[in-house]
Amino acid sequence: MQLSPDDVRDVLRVLDSSGLAELHLETAELTLTLRREGAAAGWTAEQQVLRTPVVESQLSAVGEEDEPAPVQAEVGEGLVAVRPPLLGTFYRAPQPGAPPFVDVGDPVEDDTVVGIVETMKMMTPVHAGVRGTVVEFRTGNGEFAEKDAVLCVVEPA
Amino acid sequence: MSHRIHRLLIANRGEIAARVIRTCARLGIESVLAASDADLDALPARLADRVVRLGPAPAAQSYLDPAAVVRAALAVGADAVHPGYGFLSENPALAQGCAEAGLVFVGPSVESLHAVGDKLTARRHALAAGLPVVPGGEAADLAAAQAVAAEVGYPLLVKAVGGGGGRGMKRVRSAGELAHTLDLASSEAAAAFGDPRVYLERYVESGRHVEVQVLGDGSSAVALGDRDCSVQRRYQKLFEEAPAPLIPDRVRADMASAALALAVHLGYRGLGTVELLYDRQRESFYFLEMNARIQVEHPVTEAVTGLDLVAEQLAVAEGLPLRLRQEDVVLTGHAVECRINAEDAAHDFRPSPGQIERVVLPVGDGIRVDTHVQGGSVVPPFYDSLLAKLIVHGTDRADALARARAALDLLRIDGVTTTVPVHQALLADAEFAAGGVDTAFFERFLSRDLAVAS
């Protein structure tokens, strides 16, 4: 059962004339709670569609990706992990085909950009946050990085 | 020749997928959602009659792959494809692929998509249809750019020919900045659209973004009123309203005529939007571009016209003639739309993906919420941040704004950070309430009102 905005409006019309303060409706596929908020502020609805979608066809549209290797969250003693400011897809270069921002062996300062993370179509630069030398990349170009992932490892100067 | 649509593949996600499914349910059309791995359990998948897996989560391997969409449509026996907005909605390759596979593409013809998909071609068509355009021209190299700049003067805008969404668009304040900005805009355009071409346009200091909704059946067209989308941040719209406030009647009529002239010139079939730049000082307007798809802000037009634009879009896609004449289009009251994004305004609008704990929506007369989230929904990091649209219809602008303020106070989306507080501050702003703000307003407002509010 799906409810359109018009259906909800009809239900509200009935409620408005009834003086009820709350209505809870539950079917096999959906739960809907309507509640009168405050004195005269208005009505709110909390709705849950319960039906679990059945995916009918498993199209192998493109080459399936292998599961990415789990990221090693620990780094060696005396080394510093550079982690993303928020989860997203990590890019090591400003655009496809361009040289990487930094590579293994490169010196970095606090504010050196080591890559960018794309989250919800927005690009956020990742800064080294430490002065030193890049010794390892743990997350590859174009790979997804969780918030606690290690993108690269820096040996402080 | 008309082809009745029985089973529609929706090649999109989020609120627009849920929106199209709703109209399908009303019209008795079977809806099949083509979803990426990240969306197989999302609300639109629960609402659709059927679901087909399109590909992995990254959009390039699912929602942006025309071949995968056509294969999915054929696999489920769909007879039509609705592309929503964004993704492949204006991609001629999908329209072409559908045509070759015998599927109805719910959108304009391949020719129309080519005609308006490229900003320079669109500009040529607009000129041919008699529309005023912003002074400017092609910038194939620095010398050409300098020649155009000498004609239109500074400041000016560099824009991506294949662009959209503000990417590849840059402001140049003086001749000294031209070469550097040209390079930057060109690389951004290449990265975002695979097309490095840019062109130059005069920068209008105080312009409003006003657009006219049109609907065509390939031979005739109707204008469905205008919208104001001037409240933007980095060329991304946040708030829209219909009709555009404080536009002289004569100019409003001229804008509608101009939009219709372009639609007729193109032999346009489908929903389309003619974007115009309204110059507040001169009380004149220029053609910017044409969007050949349904848009995020279509509900404000639905509210003031009483039409279901998706239903009209499906009807003309089926090959039916327009079901309404221009005199049937009657606008009532005023409607506004707040885009609620999963973004943290306190941290420079940083994205806020994650799990939503609870969603409580305002309901009542004149209130509509288009959304794809509910308690327990996951907001994946792969796509844009739009969570919901609050659309409010009132008797006039002041009434609509007052109702919107009350509705926003009732709306709760817990678990991720949203832009609800931004809209609350915006609706409390005196300059905004007066109406007719320009596209530079919102950045000013952010540094002023929002700083105070937080």
Side-chain angles (χ1 to χ4, degrees):
Chain A
M1 175 181 174
Q2 292 178 17
L3 286 182
S4 72
D6 287 340
D7 296 333
V8 175
R9 204 162 295 141
D10 288 344
V11 174
L12 281 174
R13 221 161 265 144
V14 174
L15 280 176
D16 274 333
S17 59
S18 76
L20 286 174
E22 185 170 332
L23 171 98
H24 187 75
L25 177 74
E26 198 161 338
T27 70
E29 292 189 334
L30 172 132
T31 68
L32 172 74
T33 303
L34 289 168
R35 188 173 290 125
R36 203 190 291 269
E37 293 280 337
W43 289 88
T44 61
E46 199 169 347
Q47 189 173 337
Q48 197 82 30
V49 178
L50 302 174
R51 189 170 71 89
T52 305
V54 177
V55 182
E56 303 192 5
S57 303
Q58 294 283 338
L59 284 188
S60 295
V62 289
E64 295 296 315
E65 278 185 320
D66 291 326
E67 282 292 308
V71 179
Q72 202 77 39
E74 298 303 317
V75 295
E77 207 173 312
L79 299 175
V80 174
V82 180
R83 298 175 201 270
L86 64 173
L87 81 178
T89 307
F90 180 58
Y91 294 104
R92 288 190 52 193
Q95 58 194 64
F101 290 103
V102 292
D103 223 328
V104 171
D106 285 352
V108 292
E109 301 289 330
D110 265 12
D111 58 355
T112 302
V113 173
V114 301
I116 44 179
V117 168
E118 181 186 356
T119 313
M120 302 177 108
K121 292 169 80 179
M122 285 196 240
M123 304 288 184
T124 309
V126 185
H127 300 278
V130 62
R131 183 163 173 265
T133 306
V134 178
V135 294
E136 186 190 356
F137 268 90
R138 294 261 181 98
T139 305
N141 187 49
E143 274 181 23
F144 188 77
E146 295 290 345
K147 205 174 173 194
D148 59 351
V150 178
L151 301 177
C152 67
V153 180
V154 175
E155 183 176 9
Chain B
M1 201 173 75
S2 70
H3 306 265
R4 184 87 178 79
I5 298 171
H6 297 285
R7 184 177 294 162
L8 179 69
L9 185 91
I10 298 151
N12 211 302
R13 63 179 307 281
E15 64 85 22
I16 192 64
R19 165 73 192 87
V20 175
I21 291 166
R22 198 163 75 222
T23 290
C24 285
R26 189 165 72 74
L27 299 180
I29 295 173
E30 195 182 346
S31 58
V32 186
L33 183 77
S36 79
D37 286 345
D39 291 326
L40 288 174
D41 196 36
L43 182 60
R46 287 162 186 260
L47 295 174
D49 293 316
R50 300 169 64 181
V51 182
V52 59
R53 178 182 177 273
L54 194 53
Q61 296 165 55
S62 48
Y63 298 111
L64 284 172
D65 182 347
V69 170
V70 171
R71 272 201 302 272
L74 293 175
V76 299
D79 39 32
V81 173
H82 194 303
Y85 53 67
F87 294 132
L88 297 173
S89 57
E90 294 177 276
N91 188 317
L94 178 61
Q96 185 68 44
C98 285
E100 285 164 7
L103 298 160
V104 172
F105 175 72
V106 183
S109 65
V110 174
E111 294 73 27
S112 288
L113 288 171
H114 278 298
V116 300
D118 167 326
K119 287 188 181 177
L120 279 175
T121 316
R123 187 183 158 97
R124 278 196 287 275
H125 280 290
L127 281 167
L131 275 68
V133 301
V134 184
E138 283 184 65
D141 52 37
L142 183 58
Q146 282 163 337
V148 177
E151 254 175 63
V152 305
Y154 292 94
L156 51 80
L157 277 181
V158 184
K159 286 180 157 187
V161 169
R167 277 173 298 181
M169 194 184 322
K170 304 249 172 261
R171 191 169 148 191
V172 185
R173 278 166 296 207
S174 63
E177 289 179 8
L178 185 62
H180 170 70
T181 313
L182 208 61
D183 278 352
L184 210 64
S186 178
S187 2
E188 243 188 62
F193 315 109
D195 178 356
R197 291 177 303 147
V198 294
Y199 71 104
L200 305 184
E201 217 175 70
R202 176 187 289 165
Y203 178 75
V204 176
E205 293 284 354
S206 183
R208 288 172 55 188
H209 181 124
V210 177
E211 56 189 31
V212 180
Q213 176 73 64
V214 294
L215 173 72
D217 63 8
S219 54
S220 58
V222 286
L224 304 175
D226 47 63
R227 298 186 283 255
D228 193 316
C229 314
S230 300
V231 179
Q232 300 183 4
R233 177 179 172 272
R234 299 188 182 166
Y235 305 109
Q236 294 287 325
K237 298 166 188 171
L238 285 102
F239 180 97
E240 302 99 341
E241 56 187 302
L246 305 176
I247 303 270
D249 289 346
R250 172 189 54 81
V251 180
R252 196 186 299 280
D254 287 351
M255 289 195 297
S257 302
L260 278 179
L262 181 57
V264 170
H265 164 83
L266 293 170
Y268 195 82
R269 187 202 65 223
L271 278 182
T273 298
V274 179
E275 294 202 344
L276 305 166
L277 180 66
Y278 175 67
D279 186 328
R280 291 206 297 189
Q281 269 87 44
R282 295 186 179 91
E283 291 193 350
S284 59
F285 65 89
Y286 302 111
F287 169 80
L288 286 178
E289 61 181 294
M290 183 168 185
N291 295 317
R293 58 169 194 269
I294 192 164
Q295 285 185 292
V296 177
E297 59 269 31
H298 76 275
V300 290
T301 296
E302 294 190 320
V304 295
T305 58
L307 294 168
D308 176 340
L309 291 186
V310 176
E312 298 309 319
Q313 189 183 26
L314 291 172
V316 294
E318 285 181 332
L320 297 173
L322 285 179
R323 301 189 285 196
L324 64 163
R325 297 159 299 176
Q326 192 60 55
E327 55 267 35
D328 299 328
V329 179
V330 180
L331 306 180
T332 308
H334 195 92
V336 302
E337 174 178 285
C338 301
R339 293 193 191 188
I340 315 289
N341 292 316
E343 291 171 14
D344 183 354
H347 292 94
D348 198 29
F349 290 83
R350 186 164 67 189
S352 178
Q355 182 153 35
I356 289 175
E357 290 156 12
R358 187 171 181 223
V359 176
V360 181
L361 302 175
V363 285
D365 274 350
I367 298 173
R368 163 176 168 184
V369 183
D370 282 16
T371 185
H372 60 292
V373 296
Q374 57 181 5
S377 289
V378 172
V379 184
F382 306 103
Y383 316 109
D384 73 31
S385 60
L386 186 64
L387 293 181
K389 306 184 306 199
L390 169 68
I391 304 107
V392 180
H393 187 213
T395 52
D396 56 23
R397 187 169 188 269
D399 182 46
L401 293 180
R403 286 170 183 244
R405 283 184 203 105
L408 273 174
D409 286 344
L410 296 173
L411 190 148
R412 287 186 60 185
I413 299 177
D414 297 337
V416 299
T417 309
T418 76
T419 51
V420 166
V422 177
H423 286 287
Q424 287 172 320
L426 176 70
L427 289 172
D429 183 84
E431 184 185 352
F432 171 74
V437 296
D438 67 4
T439 50
F441 158 79
F442 193 71
E443 293 293 345
R444 272 202 316 277
F445 156 81
L446 274 185
S447 52
R448 188 182 66 204
D449 300 43
L450 202 61
V452 174
S454 61

